[in-house]
Amino acid sequence: MGSSDPPADGPPLERLAAVFRVYEADREGDRLLYYGEPLVPRDRLLETAWPLFREQGYEVQLATDTGEYVLVAEPADTGFDGVPWTNVALFVLTILSTLYAGAAWYHVDLAENPLGVVEAWPFMAAVVGVLLTHELGHYVMTRYHDVNASLPYFIPLPFSIIGTMGAVIRMKGQMPDRKALFDIGVAGPLAGLVATVVVTAIGLSLPPEQVPASLASNPNAIQLEFGYPPLLELIAWAVGEQTTYGPGQSVSPVVIGGWVGMFVTFLNLIPVGQLDGGHIVRAILGEQQERVAALVPVALFGLAAYVFYVEDVSNASILWAFWGLLATYVAYVGPANPISEEGLDPKRKALGVLTFVLGILCFTPVPIEILAGA
């Protein structure tokens, strides 16, 4: 049964009076319900009400219930209870799947020597390390800004060339302002890039991998040729190491881990929707981000056409066409919308521009090319 008196742990009604006239307040379990009439537009209402409820430990949203407007407040959850078994299980499976994929890079015959999979631990550590650092960058910022988010969910994919499809964190809380949106969006790519540079430098300093004679002399063997982005070449120049070797040798698989970090960074910085790049642009430009997002699929489809007709690499063209379709969907879903639309300070804007410059250094039009045997 509702009443006009607010729950004791909710904000006083007089603090809501300027934006929302409450005529009934109720509690359903852990939820607080405030039925009433909005006195201002939705965005201004939430900008005022959200911090009031947050002070009391609640997240609030405006909803409708049988035609009535209602502010629905639920306890804010900025942590997790118990052991996150799903996250742990996926992380362990990803370690195993990257070991399995890495065994091929070290030319280990698992049929003859199943335990030889442990030889691929440097590759596993490189790939998992850069992905974990990227996601932890996001996670640390969600904790800093008191935004409810999950721990990273890794996605194992044992029958791929790197053994994983990456990792994600799930945002469960509302974004308080554009500053928080920017900090959370930019932290992942920057943290991941630091790990990527370290991994790449270590990989380039390691001895090249010896290709078995039976494989090197097989004209029918399928080969993978990686396109090295400018950042990888810059790191090689800085440490005085080479990126290519003669017949019978290839770079250490750890370098492939660094390549993965650069490729993931570029993809995440595509400025659309709720990708990292979309978060950054939304934080900098506000609602004008939609104009940028509308151009992204066009650019990706154009890149696919360039790679197909000019570079004559069909598999890379399919990759960019797929991302063009994905970007179209992500743009349709839309960006994360913060409660407060207060603009960013100049330092954050400059950092955002720098982040995109670093992202461009991670780009190559043909990331990987499949060369079929003769």
Side-chain angles (χ1 to χ4, degrees), residues 34-36 38 42 61-72:
Y34 291 75
Y35 295 88
R42 181 190 183 96
Q61 293 183 346
L62 179 64
T64 56
D65 182 8
T66 62
E68 294 181 294
Y69 285 102
V70 55
L71 287 172
V72 181

Side-chain angles (χ1 to χ4, degrees), residues 76-133:
D77 179 14
T78 56
F80 53 88
D81 297 323
V83 179
W85 289 113
T86 301
N87 304 81
V88 172
L90 288 173
F91 181 70
V92 172
L93 288 173
T94 300
I95 288 176
L96 297 176
S97 66
T98 49
L99 282 172
Y100 178 82
W105 293 106
Y106 288 93
H107 310 293
V108 176
D109 189 342
L110 295 180
E112 293 185 2
N113 180 23
L115 295 180
V117 71
V118 298
E119 296 181 25
W121 75 263
F123 173 83
M124 177 276 294
V127 172
V128 173
V130 296
L131 295 176
L132 180 62
T133 304

Side-chain angles (χ1 to χ4, degrees), residues 290-325:
E290 294 180 3
R291 296 184 179 181
V292 176
L295 298 175
V296 171
V298 177
L300 289 170
F301 286 128
L303 177 59
Y306 167 80
V307 170
F308 184 82
Y309 290 107
V310 179
E311 299 287 345
D312 193 25
V313 183
S314 59
N315 60 281
S317 177
I318 293 172
L319 169 69
W320 296 124
F322 167 79
W323 272 92
L325 292 172

Side-chain angles (χ1 to χ4, degrees), residues 326-344:
L326 183 61
T328 302
Y329 171 75
V330 173
Y332 173 77
V333 172
N337 292 310
I339 299 296
S340 172
E341 288 289 351
E342 182 180 354
L344 295 183

Side-chain angles (χ1 to χ4, degrees), residues 65-353:
D65 182 8
T66 62
E68 294 181 294
Y69 285 102
V70 55
L71 287 172
V72 181
E74 297 182 290
D77 179 14
T78 56
F80 53 88
D81 297 323
V83 179
W85 289 113
T86 301
N87 304 81
V88 172
L90 288 173
F91 181 70
V92 172
L93 288 173
T94 300
I95 288 176
L96 297 176
S97 66
T98 49
L99 282 172
Y100 178 82
W105 293 106
Y106 288 93
H107 310 293
V108 176
D109 189 342
L110 295 180
E112 293 185 2
N113 180 23
L115 295 180
V117 71
V118 298
E119 296 181 25
W121 75 263
F123 173 83
M124 177 276 294
V127 172
V128 173
V130 296
L131 295 176
L132 180 62
T133 304
H134 180 113
E135 296 304 327
L136 287 181
H138 291 311
Y139 185 77
V140 168
M141 281 294 105
T142 64
R143 300 297 91 186
Y144 177 78
H145 287 285
D146 289 331
V147 174
N148 187 15
S150 71
L151 287 168
Y153 290 94
F154 278 77
I155 307 172
L157 196 67
F159 300 107
S160 66
I161 61 174
I162 63 173
T164 178
M165 287 184 63
V168 297
I169 63 172
R170 187 163 65 91
M171 306 291 293
K172 296 180 284 186
Q174 292 180 280
M175 201 66 64
D177 49 38
R178 283 161 65 173
K179 181 173 70 173
L181 180 62
F182 177 86
D183 291 351
I184 293 170
V186 82
L190 291 182
L193 273 177
V194 171
T196 294
V197 170
V198 172
V199 163
T200 304
I202 292 173
L204 289 168
S205 66
L206 294 175
E209 189 66 21
Q210 299 296 322
V211 180
S214 58
L215 184 61
S217 61
N218 184 357
N220 297 316
I222 296 178
Q223 301 180 34
L224 299 178
E225 185 173 295
F226 287 87
Y228 292 149
L231 180 59
L232 196 149
E233 299 286 0
L234 282 172
I235 296 171
W237 171 81
V239 299
E241 299 288 349
Q242 60 193 94
T243 58
T244 58
Y245 295 89
Q249 292 184 322
S250 62
V251 294
S252 167
V254 174
V255 176
I256 305 303
W259 177 93
V260 169
M262 296 177 201
F263 187 55
V264 167
T265 297
F266 174 77
L267 293 179
N268 274 281
L269 285 174
I270 293 175
V272 64
Q274 297 197 33
L275 295 177
D276 296 344
H279 287 332
I280 297 170
V281 173
R282 175 66 176 83
I284 294 175
L285 299 181
E287 295 180 356
Q288 297 301 316
Q289 182 264 354
E290 294 180 3
R291 296 184 179 181
V292 176
L295 298 175
V296 171
V298 177
L300 289 170
F301 286 128
L303 177 59
Y306 167 80
V307 170
F308 184 82
Y309 290 107
V310 179
E311 299 287 345
D312 193 25
V313 183
S314 59
N315 60 281
S317 177
I318 293 172
L319 169 69
W320 296 124
F322 167 79
W323 272 92
L325 292 172
L326 183 61
T328 302
Y329 171 75
V330 173
Y332 173 77
V333 172
N337 292 310
I339 299 296
S340 172
E341 288 289 351
E342 182 180 354
L344 295 183
D345 55 272
K347 290 183 179 179
R348 280 186 169 86
K349 291 180 180 179
L351 181 60
V353 173

